[in-house]
Amino acid sequence: MAESQAQIKTRLIADTRRRFEAEYLADKSDKYDPRDVERLQQDDNWVESYLLWRHNVVDETLKMLDESFQWRKEFAVNDLSESSIPRRLLEIGGIYLHGYDKEGNKLFWIRVKYHVKDSKTALDKKKLIAFWLERYAKRENGKPITVMFDLSETGINNIDMDFVRFIINCFKVYYPKYLSKLVIFDMPWIMNAAFKLVKTWLGPEAMSLLKFTSKNEIQEYVSVEYLPPHMGGTDPFKYSYPPLVDDDFQTPLCENGPITSEDETSSKEDIESDGKETLETISNEEQTAPVKKSSPTEPNSKAEENEKVDSKMKAFKKPLSVFKGPLLHISPAEELYFGTAESGEKKTLIVLTNVTKNIVAFKVRTTAPEKYRVKPSNSSCEPGASVDIVVSPHGGLTVSAQDRFLIMAAEMEQSSGSGPAELAQFWKEVPKNKVMEHRLRCHIIEGSKPTTLTLKDSAFNMSDKTSEDICLQLNRLLESNRKLQDQVQRCIWFHQLLLSLMMLSLAFVISFFYLLYS
């Protein structure tokens, strides 16, 4: 019986670990950091990343592990911290993480104009690169990164091919499978010869990851929201240190907005506004409904109002796509769909389903905590139960396609309480390797879209103008459909005519040869 993909992967990982221990650890154990060796034995994803980069060839993978582990010990990568780097290198802003590309990958900025070749600082600059990559790798565990190599305002003094080669080696050997693409911006003509050499270092497989861009082309990869003005963007970001630039999932969301002092007020405003919307909807429905005479036998008007409120709540449609994690099934699987302010589709829904036999604690984080309200944002889910999480923009803030949400989940013991105090203590003590994480992107819908993806506030309060617009669109669609059918009919008629002519021609040829030889 043929092996499944999972069985092949498990076998390759086990074979890599066994052979590395037998063939490399015996002779070079002092050349490796014990923490890296321990991680190799425990972290399947880490081993798999090296195997995939070497096309599952174990011999090549072992050589790569040997080179990578020796480098990690030489640079003391596991111990790198801010104190390991000269402060002036951190202050200058030549290397940092900030923003996302159009595929949702983190941007790793290298501002070459701040780099001047100097043998005295070469090692510290390499350590700075290693510090940022290790910091990112430990947090993201394999998620790709896009390198923004900004060559604007550079000259011959900024060319340091040894430094460039080190950066390339980081992604070829030390951090395999992390490079999404290397975007070269505004390369001066004087550096053309130098970057021909870079192409040979990358190798044929990685050549497709190298993107040369100018101001007109850069937006193919990064939207203006995360591009600085000199690249034609609108990002107001200004680098400063301290603190470190690290804007990814740092602040847990509050249920009613990011500012603690505003929680109570925001909550009250939410309740009032939701109540107002419901009352307005009911009022409009009552105005448009036919007038009936009161009768003692008619149902209670209060019950009717409750029915209408319940029907409004049922307008919250649950999304269809599902991510099946080991602790929670999360729907939607990849993207949260938000409508524009004009469409009225301001809210969206995340559905969590506990697939374990224990209580699962969860909490939600985001890259833009100042923008969103989440209800609930930090709670728990009983075994087999589902929890609906409503996400809405805070105040009048605009949803961005670059915003991300992180859902964290971990199993709790049955004896543990699930109150706020117990949850707070649980998250302080739970080991990181026990936490399931899943990320969601934001998707903005400009026009109409399936109601199964979002919550529509105005579902029961459609204006006459909107109805006319929909009718007009339907008429246009029907007209287009009719024209398409006419074109299909003409094509069928033409092919039938062509087939008839061919049959007549064939009959003529047969008759000609029959007369010729009779």
Side-chain angles (χ1 to χ4, degrees), residues 213-232:
T213 62
S214 62
K215 205 172 194 178
N216 297 327
E217 300 157 338
I218 189 71
Q219 290 182 36
E220 292 179 23
Y221 308 104
V222 183
S223 65
V224 292
E225 190 171 356
Y226 282 119
L227 288 176
H230 74 274
M231 289 185 174

Side-chain angles (χ1 to χ4, degrees), residues 256-267:
N256 294 303
I259 305 170
T260 307
S261 61
E262 291 182 355
D263 280 355
E264 191 176 341
T265 307
S266 299
S267 179

Side-chain angles (χ1 to χ4, degrees), residues 300-361:
N300 190 300
S301 60
K302 194 159 198 170
E304 288 180 359
E305 287 181 9
N306 290 337
E307 234 178 88
K308 289 170 185 174
V309 173
D310 290 341
S311 68
K312 183 176 186 295
M313 295 306 294
K314 287 176 185 176
F316 295 147
K317 302 292 183 182
K318 294 188 178 183
L320 299 177
S321 59
V322 180
F323 164 78
K324 296 183 178 180
L327 305 181
L328 295 174
H329 286 184
I330 300 172
S331 183
E334 296 180 353
E335 294 183 329
L336 291 178
Y337 286 79
F338 291 89
T340 58
E342 291 77 13
S343 68
E345 298 167 351
K346 302 171 187 176
K347 301 177 183 178
T348 191
L349 190 71
I350 304 172
V351 182
L352 307 181
T353 303
N354 185 350
V355 293
T356 72
K357 296 180 180 179
N358 296 317
I359 296 173
V360 172

Side-chain angles (χ1 to χ4, degrees), residues 90-108:
L90 292 167
E91 289 175 337
I92 198 171
I95 300 167
Y96 56 87
L97 288 165
H98 174 68
Y100 299 88
D101 68 8
K102 287 189 172 181
E103 296 174 351
N105 301 312
K106 194 74 174 175
L107 298 179
F108 185 41

Side-chain angles (χ1 to χ4, degrees), residues 262-275:
E262 291 182 355
D263 280 355
E264 191 176 341
T265 307
S266 299
S267 179
K268 187 177 179 183
E269 287 174 357
D270 278 353
I271 294 167
E272 289 177 353
S273 63
D274 289 346

Side-chain angles (χ1 to χ4, degrees), residues 77-222:
V77 173
N78 288 310
D79 298 313
L80 283 177
S81 63
E82 290 178 62
S83 59
S84 310
I85 313 296
R87 186 181 173 95
R88 58 186 179 78
L89 288 182
L90 292 167
E91 289 175 337
I92 198 171
I95 300 167
Y96 56 87
L97 288 165
H98 174 68
Y100 299 88
D101 68 8
K102 287 189 172 181
E103 296 174 351
N105 301 312
K106 194 74 174 175
L107 298 179
F108 185 41
W109 293 85
I110 300 175
R111 305 290 303 279
V112 181
K113 73 174 184 178
Y114 295 120
H115 176 83
V116 178
K117 188 173 181 178
D118 183 357
S119 58
K120 294 178 182 179
T121 61
L123 182 59
D124 287 330
K125 289 173 182 175
K126 290 177 181 179
K127 283 186 176 182
L128 180 58
I129 292 284
F131 163 75
W132 274 116
L133 290 178
E134 185 68 11
R135 180 183 175 91
Y136 178 82
K138 283 180 178 177
R139 190 183 66 208
E140 295 298 336
N141 192 26
K143 190 175 179 183
I145 196 170
T146 293
V147 178
M148 299 293 289
F149 215 79
D150 184 3
L151 288 164
S152 57
E153 302 177 49
T154 57
I156 194 71
N157 291 333
N158 304 114
I159 298 177
D160 185 350
M161 299 313 294
D162 178 60
F163 185 60
V164 173
R165 187 164 195 167
F166 172 78
I167 294 169
I168 290 172
N169 273 341
C170 280
F171 292 104
K172 280 187 67 177
V173 182
Y174 312 141
Y175 295 92
K177 299 301 291 180
Y178 270 92
L179 183 63
S180 166
K181 51 189 161 292
L182 179 61
V183 180
I184 311 292
F185 177 76
D186 202 16
M187 187 178 71
W189 66 269
I190 200 171
M191 294 187 180
N192 282 336
F195 271 86
K196 284 181 181 177
L197 184 60
V198 170
K199 292 179 181 180
T200 64
W201 293 341
L202 281 169
E205 293 178 358
M207 270 301 299
S208 61
L209 306 179
L210 195 62
K211 312 293 182 184
F212 290 91
T213 62
S214 62
K215 205 172 194 178
N216 297 327
E217 300 157 338
I218 189 71
Q219 290 182 36
E220 292 179 23
Y221 308 104
V222 183

Side-chain angles (χ1 to χ4, degrees), residues 459-511:
F460 292 89
N461 193 19
M462 187 180 292
S463 66
D464 292 337
K465 188 175 184 303
T466 306
S467 301
E468 289 172 4
D469 290 342
I470 292 173
C471 289
L472 185 60
Q473 289 176 9
L474 286 172
N475 288 334
R476 288 174 180 169
L477 186 61
L478 290 170
E479 180 65 21
S480 299
N481 187 45
R482 188 187 61 76
K483 289 179 180 178
L484 183 61
Q485 287 177 343
D486 290 343
Q487 289 175 0
V488 170
Q489 289 294 333
R490 282 196 292 270
C491 287
I492 293 172
W493 177 82
F494 176 79
H495 281 89
Q496 288 175 340
L497 178 63
L498 188 62
L499 184 61
S500 300
L501 290 173
M502 289 174 64
M503 294 297 292
L504 285 171
S505 300
L506 183 61
F508 176 80
V509 171
I510 292 171
S511 301

